[in-house]
Amino acid sequence: MSVPSFGYIVKEGLWHNNTGLVQLLGLCPLLAVSTNVVNGLGLGLATMLVLTATNTAISFIRNLTRPELRIPVYVLVIAALVTAVQLLINAYFHDLYNVLGIFIPLIVTNCAVIGRAEAFASKHDPLRAATDGFAIGLGFAIVLALLGAMREILGQGTLFSDAHLMFGETWRSIEIQFWPGGDGMLLAILPPGAFFALGGLIACKNLLDAHRKKRIIAPPSPNNAAKTAAYAKAVN
């Protein structure tokens, strides 16, 4: 089995294999929590921390776990780490913890977490496993933050309205008000608005991917091995 490079792992996690835009995993918190950018970023960072820690732990014990017991062991490790993250958020970001509520412990059921443990961490060394967890988690957090920003701007006319929940009272003043009154599109902060916003993000990604492929108008000469390899990689 070939060993992936760190650059490849990061690109896969952030773009080509993004949890929210490509795999479409973890949609329950993705759509329910992302009513503003702070909520989305908070849950995204919590998920990133769990993914990184879980991948690292699973990689360390991959040779000690019996094949028939691996899934229960993975769930036990994930549950323990999610509990630790939940306690940390409750201790240091209590107001944000109250907002996110049940969606923090529900990270245990996020298919992306156990999926990466099974598909990647159980087959690679701890450093690469940690990089994969970090990249996948960061990609998920970015999508959550973008989704929250879109819905907050359209639905409330603000941005970073609850920044103090994550960064402290001194950050309350960074709130941006786009129009007086704070009235916006009610649909944007309702569940259907989350689906529309996510669909828009997926469409943008697909358009960017299609544009990148169209930049290659014709295959290069077979005599140029480097360009031929680059063309084949871009097309596939």
Side-chain angles (χ1 to χ4, degrees):
M1 181 177 61
S2 61
V3 179
S5 66
F6 290 101
Y8 174 83
I9 294 172
V10 172
K11 286 191 294 184
E12 286 290 305
L14 293 180
W15 190 258
H16 299 297
N17 204 25
N18 186 281
T19 301
L21 301 181
V22 178
Q23 299 184 60
L24 300 181
L25 299 176
L27 291 187
C28 180
L30 189 73
L31 300 176
V33 175
S34 59
T35 52
N36 63 46
V37 65
V38 173
N39 291 355
L41 185 61
L43 185 63
L45 292 177
T47 305
M48 182 181 73
L49 181 59
V50 170
L51 269 163
T52 305
T54 297
N55 270 21
T56 305
I58 296 301
S59 180
F60 272 115
I61 65 173
R62 68 187 189 281
N63 296 324
L64 304 175
T65 307
R66 294 171 60 89
E68 62 271 19
L69 297 177
R70 69 187 191 284
I71 299 301
V73 170
Y74 295 169
V75 173
L76 181 62
V77 171
I78 294 168
L81 291 171
V82 168
T83 301
V85 171
Q86 181 181 2
L87 293 174
L88 285 172
I89 296 175
N90 191 14
Y92 294 101
F93 306 97
H94 184 68
D95 292 334
L96 181 62
Y97 173 83
N98 289 334
V99 173
L100 298 179
I102 189 63
F103 292 101
I104 299 176
L106 278 179
I107 295 174
V108 176
T109 64
N110 192 322
C111 297
V113 181
I114 194 168
R116 297 318 295 174
E118 171 69 10
F120 194 93
S122 62
K123 300 177 176 64
H124 295 89
D125 61 89
L127 187 56
R128 283 181 170 77
T131 303
D132 176 77
F134 178 81
I136 292 288
L138 182 59
F140 185 71
I142 290 173
V143 172
L144 269 171
L146 287 175
L147 197 59
M150 292 170 60
R151 297 178 67 191
E152 183 180 355
I153 292 172
L154 295 176
Q156 305 175 31
T158 62
L159 190 63
F160 299 111
S161 60
D162 294 326
H164 62 285
L165 297 181
M166 180 178 292
F167 305 110
E169 289 296 326
T170 56
W171 288 76
R172 188 186 288 270
S173 60
I174 72 168
E175 178 182 342
I176 302 172
Q177 191 86 29
F178 289 95
W179 50 78
D183 296 326
M185 297 172 55
L186 179 61
L187 179 65
I189 58 177
L190 294 177
F195 281 99
F196 286 126
L198 180 61
L201 288 177
I202 294 173
C204 289
K205 181 190 181 300
N206 291 340
L207 286 173
L208 289 173
D209 287 339
H211 176 70
R212 180 179 63 87
K213 289 184 178 181
K214 286 182 179 179
R215 291 175 60 184
I216 304 174
I217 300 175
S221 170
N223 296 328
N224 193 325
K227 289 186 179 181
T228 302
Y231 170 77
K233 183 177 180 181
V235 171
N236 298 325

